[in-house]
Amino acid sequence: MIEAQHLLIVDDDDRIRDLLKKYLGRQGYKMTVAADAKAARKLFQTFSFDLAILDIMMPGEDGLSLLSALRQDGNQTPVLLLTARGNASDRIEGLKLGADDYLPKPFEPEELSLRVAAILRRTHMPEPPGEVEMSGLVFDVKRGVLTGPEGAIRLTDGELQLLTLMAQQPGEAFSREGLAEQTSNGSERSIDVQVTRLRKKIEPDPKNPIHLQTVRGIGYRLMPD
């Protein structure tokens, strides 16, 4: 079983903390929240986080100061900064201090989720599996070969690209836009078509997929056995 990635949200706005905790929690992340930098510091001493979302504008110690302290202490937890719209100086300073990305307020939760997923892909790249097993089928990731009880199963170029990309990070949610950009399928609509065709080849019941799953509000993910 894949362990959920642990995210920390540091924001003095109760509504934003609650919104992100619920929204990202539904995406499968383990969530912890803090209302200020002081509380966040204590949490960093206790837990190891896969990513922290820090609001810059907070009473007392601000997000930039907290980020600076983390980096000086050798803490390399990936950080996404929430900034005031149009405040370029804060964004530039944050990137200089070692932030991985920033998002101006107000923002759409879906965009934040996609940015979080992108940061985690860049910073937590596991060794890709050699093979992925799915209900009696075996996909050799390096060779790009899908086999079943009766032998090799033919895949089109588009299906092979899609399956290979997702099999390299099993359990990871990919946006439809990102899949279109990283394959030759060209458009989000083409991705949907390829997914439908691929499900017919790998799913015991294509109408109720258990391996090539839809992730609501994001796109798709591949879940092996």
Side-chain angles (χ1 to χ4, degrees):
M1 182 177 180
I2 299 174
E3 185 177 353
Q5 291 171 306
H6 194 180
L7 310 186
L8 172 66
I9 300 169
V10 187
D11 198 305
D12 62 303
D13 189 321
D14 295 347
R15 294 170 300 174
I16 290 180
R17 289 201 311 275
D18 291 344
L19 170 65
L20 295 183
K21 182 177 181 180
K22 292 177 181 177
Y23 188 88
L24 294 173
R26 288 198 295 267
Q27 308 302 323
Y29 298 111
K30 179 181 178 182
M31 304 302 302
T32 297
V33 299
D36 54 36
K38 182 179 180 180
R41 284 176 178 272
K42 293 181 180 179
L43 289 169
F44 275 114
Q45 293 174 1
T46 305
F47 300 102
S48 177
F49 297 101
D50 294 291
L51 183 144
I53 301 171
L54 308 182
D55 182 28
I56 289 182
M57 299 296 293
M58 294 187 293
E61 184 180 9
D62 64 22
L64 292 177
S65 175
L66 176 58
L67 172 59
S68 177
L70 290 173
R71 296 299 186 248
Q72 288 177 12
D73 289 341
N75 188 317
Q76 296 303 314
T77 300
V79 169
L80 171 63
L81 291 175
L82 300 181
T83 72
R85 184 175 296 277
N87 197 338
S89 61
D90 282 349
R91 298 198 295 271
I92 293 172
E93 181 65 19
L95 293 173
K96 286 182 177 179
L97 290 172
D100 295 83
D101 199 357
Y102 65 85
L103 185 63
K105 290 182 176 181
F107 55 83
E108 291 294 330
E110 182 179 0
E111 181 180 359
L112 182 139
S113 177
L114 291 172
R115 287 179 181 268
V116 164
I119 293 173
L120 291 172
R121 280 197 297 271
R122 293 197 305 266
T123 58
H124 295 78
M125 288 293 290
E127 184 70 23
E131 293 183 343
V132 171
E133 298 184 10
M134 301 169 289
S135 298
L137 305 182
V138 178
F139 179 61
D140 187 316
V141 180
K142 293 183 178 180
R143 293 173 56 218
V145 176
L146 178 67
T147 56
E150 299 179 2
I153 298 173
R154 182 182 177 277
L155 298 173
T156 66
D157 288 343
E159 292 166 355
L160 178 58
Q161 289 179 28
L162 187 64
L163 184 57
T164 299
L165 181 61
M166 301 183 76
Q168 290 174 344
Q169 299 181 62
E172 179 72 31
F174 290 82
S175 69
R176 294 160 71 242
E177 179 183 9
L179 290 170
E181 290 177 350
Q182 296 179 69
T183 66
S184 62
N185 288 293
S187 68
E188 295 180 26
R189 176 55 184 160
S190 296
I191 292 297
D192 293 337
V193 172
Q194 296 293 345
V195 165
T196 298
R197 292 175 176 172
L198 193 52
R199 281 172 171 166
K200 293 179 180 179
K201 297 181 179 181
I202 68 174
E203 297 286 356
D205 180 0
K207 293 183 179 179
N208 296 286
I210 58 174
H211 297 301
L212 188 43
Q213 300 177 353
T214 298
V215 182
R216 187 175 180 181
I218 298 182
Y220 301 102
R221 67 181 170 194
L222 185 71
M223 296 297 292
D225 291 340

